[in-house]
Amino acid sequence: MGDRTVLLVDDHPVVRAGYRRLIEMQPGYCVIAEADSASAAYLAYRRAPADLVIIDLTMPGTSGLEGIRRIKAVDRKARILVFTMHDGLSYALKAFEAGASGYVTKSSPPEALISAMEQICHGGKAVSDDIAREIAAERLLGRRSAVEGLGPREVEILKLIASGMTTEEIADALSLSQKTIQNYHSAIKAKLDARTDARLVRIAIDAGLIDLSPADVA
Amino acid sequence: MGDRTVLLVDDHPVVRAGYRRLIEMQPGYCVIAEADSASAAYLAYRRAPADLVIIDLTMPGTSGLEGIRRIKAVDRKARILVFTMHDGLSYALKAFEAGASGYVTKSSPPEALISAMEQICHGGKAVSDDIAREIAAERLLGRRSAVEGLGPREVEILKLIASGMTTEEIADALSLSQKTIQNYHSAIKAKLDARTDARLVRIAIDAGLIDLSPADVA
DNA sequence: GGGTCGGCTGGGAGATTTTCCCGATCTTGC
DNA sequence: GCAAGATCGGGAAAATCTCCCAGCCGACCC
């Protein structure tokens, strides 16, 4: 049995059952393990490295991104396919930065998952159509998610602002004067055409700059 | 065939396959239709009313909540079970307001879905353990999601603030003076212990006050 | 009826923040 | 060396926020 082995990672048992069914209907693949968290996935991979890891991003506890990093840290050749509901481009980019070889959204037809699996097992990379379209749209239309018009320092400060920190806290954290933070704050609002701080937060969230899942409101 | 008929609504084909497998392994149930959107679910229900509708909340296009309302509008006796990834209490409350009979999170074990189905088909209501715990915690610890300490007008204005509207726009929308909005704004920040508008937005999002999915930044 | 309580609506005034303009410094590339 | 651009911060006027206050209205209870 030259079947390719698969490690399935998702925190929803019912969803895992769906994956498993779909994958095992496909000749040439065999699910050798399941995990319901990123840390469990890491342990499972160390115990028995699968040829392919299929992992969700949003899970309780350690995030899927962190899970990808850890697995890649112990095995640089690991092939990891992200299969998630998030259709935001920023999520996909983060996944690739973390070391994923593929990104398929759950809205995609099952065939997309299968073909991405094939692609990746042959050493390639794969993204689902919706993400590919977003990449194309960004390139063509220049919709660089707005925040791309900002400098690195501005993005950094925007993140802190959107996370709920006060001017004083940010100034303290970055060892700058409050005046500087205020000036950045104004400049960022002007550049992003946000007349309100609330809109700033929305933009930051849309751009994937902040996590917003747990209570990371420091 | 005295089987109870089930209509399955979820925008992810793979996930639907998982549900279907799980449900049909259970004696006494038969999936008679699937739908990948709230509007398709509505049409499917009109065509053939199932004994039980299992529906997700987050779907492209019309939301699951709206789908629930529409189905209940044509058939007040419809039994609807929400099966979703959202574990926030606010989502569950909205679902019940819309007319759902049950709310089970996808993090629950498969048995939770089955027992909720049984419960509902016998005319009862059901929530999964995590939601039940949240309800209990709220009751016991008084963690009324913070925003519950606000008056109705305050909540209304908080929503508008968090959606990104300026003081002037809000005053105009509600036909109030800007001064009144400013006073509410300050009072809300004080009550929620938010020193920053950004934190206000986070609180509003956590409380489920705003949608945040599409660009609903008016 | 009279009374109290709480929510809604806004004024006033001082403190605070925002905004816009400016200059200094430092790196980077040519 | 020099121009360009990012970073850092001052100054001052404009705008906003905060806090205190008061009138109004409906609910509720003697």
Side-chain angles (χ1 to χ4, degrees), chain A residues 8-40:
Chain A
L8 224 46
V9 191
D10 193 294
D11 57 323
H12 305 318
V14 179
V15 176
R16 278 206 308 275
Y19 293 9
R20 185 167 205 139
R21 180 198 195 199
L22 180 71
I23 293 168
E24 297 194 331
M25 272 167 47
Q26 202 64 19
Y29 291 94
C30 173
V31 176
I32 57 162
E34 295 186 10
D36 62 359
S37 71
S39 45

Side-chain angles (χ1 to χ4, degrees), chain B residues 46-67:
Chain B
R46 294 213 60 167
R47 209 177 307 118
D51 296 323
L52 179 65
V53 178
I54 298 181
I55 187 171
D56 193 3
L57 287 185
T58 52
M59 289 183 290
T62 318
S63 84
L65 283 178
E66 186 55 31

Side-chain angles (χ1 to χ4, degrees), chain B:
Chain B
M1 289 281 172
D3 278 8
R4 301 185 187 281
T5 56
V6 176
L7 167 59
L8 225 47
V9 190
D10 193 294
D11 58 321
H12 304 319
V14 180
V15 176
R16 277 207 307 275
Y19 292 10
R20 184 167 205 139
R21 181 197 194 197
L22 181 71
I23 292 168
E24 297 194 331
M25 272 168 45
Q26 201 63 20
Y29 291 94
C30 173
V31 176
I32 56 163
E34 295 187 10
D36 61 0
S37 71
S39 45
Y42 172 73
L43 293 177
Y45 192 85
R46 294 213 60 167
R47 209 177 307 118
D51 296 323
L52 179 65
V53 178
I54 298 181
I55 187 171
D56 193 3
L57 287 185
T58 52
M59 289 183 290
T62 318
S63 84
L65 283 178
E66 186 55 31
I68 295 172
R69 285 190 208 101
R70 288 199 202 160
I71 291 174
K72 291 294 276 192
V74 299
D75 182 4
R76 184 131 294 278
K77 303 184 315 303
R79 305 246 179 245
I80 301 177
L81 170 58
V82 174
F83 188 48
T84 182
M85 58 165 299
H86 297 291
D87 58 1
L89 183 54
S90 57
Y91 285 97
L93 294 178
K94 283 185 185 173
F96 281 107
E97 279 171 21
S101 296
Y103 191 99
V104 176
T105 62
K106 288 186 182 172
S107 347
S108 310
E111 303 80 49
L113 179 62
I114 300 299
S115 74
M117 288 166 60
E118 290 286 328
Q119 190 79 16
I120 290 172
C121 285
H122 287 90
K125 308 242 177 200
V127 293
S128 54
D129 286 353
D130 44 3
I131 297 294
R133 261 197 302 277
E134 276 195 67
I135 295 174
E138 172 173 300
R139 286 275 166 279
L140 290 174
L141 302 177
R143 286 202 279 99
R144 322 216 34 169
S145 88
V147 295
E148 304 302 327
L150 272 46
R153 203 87 238 240
E154 289 170 329
V155 172
E156 185 179 7
I157 291 173
L158 171 58
K159 279 202 279 195
L160 299 179
I161 292 172
S163 80
M165 289 170 72
T166 64
T167 300
E168 188 180 356
E169 289 166 346
I170 296 172
D172 195 53
L174 299 182
S175 297
L176 293 176
S177 84
Q178 294 190 222
K179 193 75 231 287
T180 300
I181 304 302
Q182 283 182 358
N183 282 336
Y184 270 108
H185 198 326
S186 289
I188 291 168
K189 278 165 78 171
K191 284 194 183 181
L192 296 182
D193 195 31
R195 308 219 300 301
T196 281
D197 280 357
R199 236 183 278 244
L200 226 44
V201 177
R202 298 301 215 83
I203 293 174
I205 291 174
D206 288 348
L209 258 46
I210 52 187
D211 285 355
L212 116 98
S213 26
D216 65 346
V217 183

Side-chain angles (χ1 to χ4, degrees), chain A residues 83-87 104-110 112 128 130, chain B residues 11-13 60:
Chain A
F83 188 48
T84 183
M85 56 164 301
H86 296 291
D87 57 1
V104 177
T105 62
K106 287 186 182 173
S107 347
S108 310
S128 54
D130 45 3
Chain B
D11 58 321
H12 304 319

Side-chain angles (χ1 to χ4, degrees), chain A residues 52-71:
Chain A
L52 179 65
V53 178
I54 298 181
I55 187 172
D56 192 4
L57 287 185
T58 51
M59 289 182 292
T62 318
S63 84
L65 284 178
E66 186 54 31
I68 295 173
R69 285 190 207 100
R70 287 199 202 161
I71 291 174

